[in-house]
Amino acid sequence: MASMKQYDFSKTAGKPIRCRAAVSRKPGEPLVIEEVIVAPPKAQEVRLKIICTSLCYSDITFWRMKEFPGCFPRILGHEAFGVVESVGEGVEELKEGDSVIPIFLPDCMDCVDCKSKKSNLCSKFPFQITPLMHRDDTSRFTTVEGETLHHFLYVSSFSEYTVVDVVNVTKIDPEIPPNKACLFSCGVSTGVGAAWKTADVEPGSTVVIFGLGSIGLAVAEGARLCGATRIIGVDINSDKFEIGKQFGITEFVNSKNCGDKPVSQVIIEMTNGGADYCFECVGMAKLVQEAFACCRKGWGKTIILGVDKQPEAQVCLNSYDVLLGRKTLTASLFGGLKPKTDVPILAKRYLNKELQLDKFVTHEVNFEDINKAFELLIQGKSLRCVIWMDK
């Protein structure tokens, strides 16, 4: 059981807070720890004290971007665990001291889409890659000199305090250790949810996962929980097989070692006609085509999770194959999960020792060493590196 430290926020509520943040000032350059000013929350917003945050590859993708939606200076970070320091006007579902995780995908629980079981895409607060807050298109961050700092994915967790709209905050059981709870903010939920919610993987089925980074391994974990019999991992790094076994991977294909055959043909032969479910977790149009090619005719499903590094890239499919193959191709944002209702279910499964979460955390660093977390992920040495704000 985690023991949560008690905080006294009575002296800061309603006032600007001066704290440290890791600011990204130029594309691809090391983050700079600076003193910043975090404004009080406005209506329907909360200010969070970030306890720990973790690094996702999306942070690296936007950190490298030289053109919009990359923008600077910016406070990155979107996987985190925090405590509510204060709430803005009209906030009823959260209170000071609540244990929470910020989540990039809005969930207002009130619009037609949020009330529907068919979608997790809020129509009242559509997800956009914006550097500002939802309701007034302004920032809550400035430097001590008054320079505006941009937000990231509505979260900006590389700061000791941050302001987040209530539609992007989910309460989390305080019994879950902070360094595990933060993983529910993005990666693990995305992968597990893609198998559970988006694909609805059936017991006894065959699953193929392209890309065994943290998202792909989370898909494997989700497929394992759903009862898949064969979970085949595809990657260019054979070392990923041993890692993948911990999350349910049963077989492995190194796509560099397929000879003259496309990897899809290898998979078709291995599975006697194609897999029931294929997941693309890299973000490459060519791999989407390979995944679609090796999912089974008649009922095969291909799910796209990877964020393509080239947004203008196009997926090309033969129209006859689409018509005659009767396969399904779909995408999964945040695993198809509704943050405020589905994430607590995953949290409970973790507490019940069903969901393996601990093995995703391969490294932990102090806030001052946040650039080390970037190095580890870029070099492929970490799955998730947890960054502690004050430990």
Side-chain angles (χ1 to χ4, degrees), residues 135-213:
R135 301 175 194 258
D136 64 0
D137 288 332
T138 62
S139 174
R140 302 293 172 269
F141 296 110
T142 57
T143 64
V144 291
E145 292 82 16
E147 178 188 19
T148 297
L149 300 170
H150 296 103
H151 289 252
F152 179 60
L153 296 182
Y154 309 116
V155 176
S156 292
S157 58
F158 294 167
S159 173
E160 292 177 316
Y161 288 85
T162 187
V163 175
V164 184
D165 196 287
V166 71
V167 299
N168 291 97
V169 180
T170 295
K171 289 181 69 172
I172 195 80
D173 193 322
E175 288 194 17
I176 300 177
N179 60 339
K180 308 304 187 300
C182 65
L183 304 186
F184 286 118
S185 273
C186 182
V188 170
S189 295
T190 295
V192 173
W196 167 39
K197 284 286 186 177
T198 306
D200 192 18
V201 170
E202 296 177 334
S205 57
T206 296
V207 170
V208 176
I209 303 167
F210 290 80
L212 295 183

Side-chain angles (χ1 to χ4, degrees), residues 221-238:
E221 176 66 7
R224 182 190 69 80
L225 286 172
C226 291
T229 302
R230 297 179 70 185
I231 305 175
I232 304 170
V234 180
D235 204 283
I236 59 174
N237 181 355
S238 294

